[in-house]
Amino acid sequence: MKHFEDIKDDEIRIISRQEVKRKPLYRRWWFWAAIAAALVSLAVILALSIRHQATQPADVEDTAVESAPLSPTMEQTGTARVLVRDTAINDVPLRLQTPVNAVPELQLGIPDTTNSSLVLALQAADIRADNHKIVGAYVLKGELLSRGVAKKGFCAILDGKIQLGMAESTPLLEETTNKDGYFFRQYPLVSQGTMIENTPKNKALRHALCELNGQIVVVSSLDKESFHDFAQALADLGVQNAIALVGGQAYGFRHDPEEGFHSWGGYLTYWKKQPEVNFIVWRAKE
């Protein structure tokens, strides 16, 4: 080759292989294969994350706390009061009222609002619109005042203890009549942790008598809600069993040793028009 023959004795030339041009990454098949694999992996991770979140119970967000837990002094003296806590479940604002050191019982007529030993009172069984009589079976200190199973939910009070359930027939009805107990029926909302559908579809302020974490708690909606949304919120809250109390503008009140008297609903609504209006009340232990 001529260009090698003309090298002089005192001349040095560097001989190397010709540089090979490489293809850019975006033109290589393995580059796109790696991107596709990464996208598939990301999609799988996102799908698993969404599925995991969907199976988790609804978050309970405390929006306000009206009453602190019992102080040591109250625990020692057995002071009767109601612990109040506000929360929100599924965008349904709720108020939880937990009576402590108080005994539940039923009562006909508007309770004495000046009696501070009554720490909590809410209307219990519904009243018929036609004859103003109590709807469903009702036992007042052992006396059977009304019969019927139009509503399957029930509350039985024996020896100062509340038992909630859902059944057309229960031996607790007879037991309350034999042992000077109390009994009434209402719409069931939650049974064994499962929400129960009910026929009424209107929206109203709701109240419920609930079994939650081994305690009896009154839970109320702070906005007008359907039975469905209210019952579902109770189930998501962790309520094991629950029956409705009279909602809407039903009258109720509580006495607090520190905060005083609080009431809600319409007091005059039931004054003379409904002589059999009835309440579940919690009275301070004697």
Side-chain angles (χ1 to χ4, degrees):
M1 297 179 2
K2 293 182 178 181
H3 62 280
F4 289 144
E5 293 177 354
D6 60 353
I7 299 176
K8 298 179 180 181
D9 294 339
D10 59 350
E11 183 180 354
I12 298 176
R13 291 187 184 181
I14 299 174
I15 301 173
S16 63
R17 294 182 179 179
Q18 186 177 1
E19 182 179 356
V20 179
K21 293 184 178 181
R22 297 185 177 182
K23 294 181 180 180
L25 287 178
Y26 69 86
R27 297 185 61 184
R28 296 174 178 272
W29 68 269
W30 54 264
F31 174 76
W32 292 108
I35 290 179
L39 291 175
V40 170
S41 299
L42 180 60
V44 171
I45 292 173
L46 288 175
L48 291 176
S49 176
I50 293 173
R51 181 179 178 183
H52 175 72
Q53 292 178 0
T55 58
Q56 297 304 304
D59 291 335
V60 177
E61 178 185 357
D62 289 336
T63 56
V65 177
E66 291 191 2
S67 299
L70 287 178
S71 65
T73 301
M74 289 181 177
E75 291 178 330
Q76 292 172 3
T77 60
T79 302
R81 68 171 303 183
V82 180
L83 302 182
V84 182
R85 181 167 66 93
D86 289 354
T87 190
I89 303 293
N90 304 334
D91 296 326
V92 176
L94 302 172
R95 174 159 295 167
L96 283 66
Q97 300 185 88
T98 306
V100 293
N101 298 319
V103 180
E105 61 185 49
L106 297 183
Q107 180 177 325
L108 282 183
I110 301 289
D112 182 3
T113 58
T114 65
N115 185 352
S116 60
S117 69
L118 299 180
V119 295
L120 184 62
L122 296 100
Q123 192 178 341
D126 278 315
I127 303 297
R128 291 180 56 170
D130 55 354
N131 60 11
H132 305 299
K133 298 296 183 180
I134 295 173
V135 177
Y138 191 92
V139 177
L140 181 67
K141 204 170 184 180
E143 182 181 357
L144 182 63
L145 300 183
S146 178
R147 300 176 182 272
V149 291
K151 300 173 182 179
K152 295 182 181 180
F154 66 82
C155 167
I157 305 175
L158 288 162
D159 299 323
K161 303 295 183 181
I162 289 178
Q163 298 182 58
L164 302 177
M166 183 182 75
E168 290 187 357
S169 177
T170 171
L172 290 173
L173 175 58
E174 183 178 357
E175 189 172 355
T176 56
T177 59
N178 293 334
K179 296 182 179 179
D180 293 334
Y182 304 89
F183 186 97
F184 73 95
R185 284 193 174 275
Q186 258 291 1
Y187 289 111
L189 297 177
V190 180
S191 179
Q192 301 299 314
T194 302
M195 67 89 65
I196 304 299
E197 292 283 2
N198 288 284
T199 302
K201 303 300 181 184
N202 64 306
K203 289 189 175 184
L205 294 176
R206 304 293 182 185
H207 304 291
L209 190 60
C210 307
E211 178 187 345
L212 176 64
N213 298 328
Q215 290 183 307
I216 296 300
V217 181
V218 172
V219 181
S220 303
S221 69
L222 300 181
D223 293 334
K224 292 182 178 181
E225 305 290 345
S226 66
F227 265 133
H228 174 89
D229 291 346
F230 184 54
Q232 188 61 64
L234 295 179
D236 291 343
L237 180 64
V239 168
Q240 188 66 14
N241 294 290
I243 65 170
L245 296 173
V246 181
Q249 291 301 308
Y251 184 71
F253 66 84
R254 71 173 181 271
H255 278 282
D256 187 272
E258 296 177 356
E259 299 180 2
F261 178 79
H262 298 267
S263 65
W264 52 88
Y267 185 86
L268 296 179
T269 304
Y270 312 105
W271 186 280
K272 294 180 180 179
K273 294 181 180 180
Q274 298 178 342
E276 292 195 11
V277 62
N278 59 95
F279 284 74
I280 180 170
V281 301
W282 281 262
R283 189 184 302 274
K285 295 180 178 179
E286 296 180 355

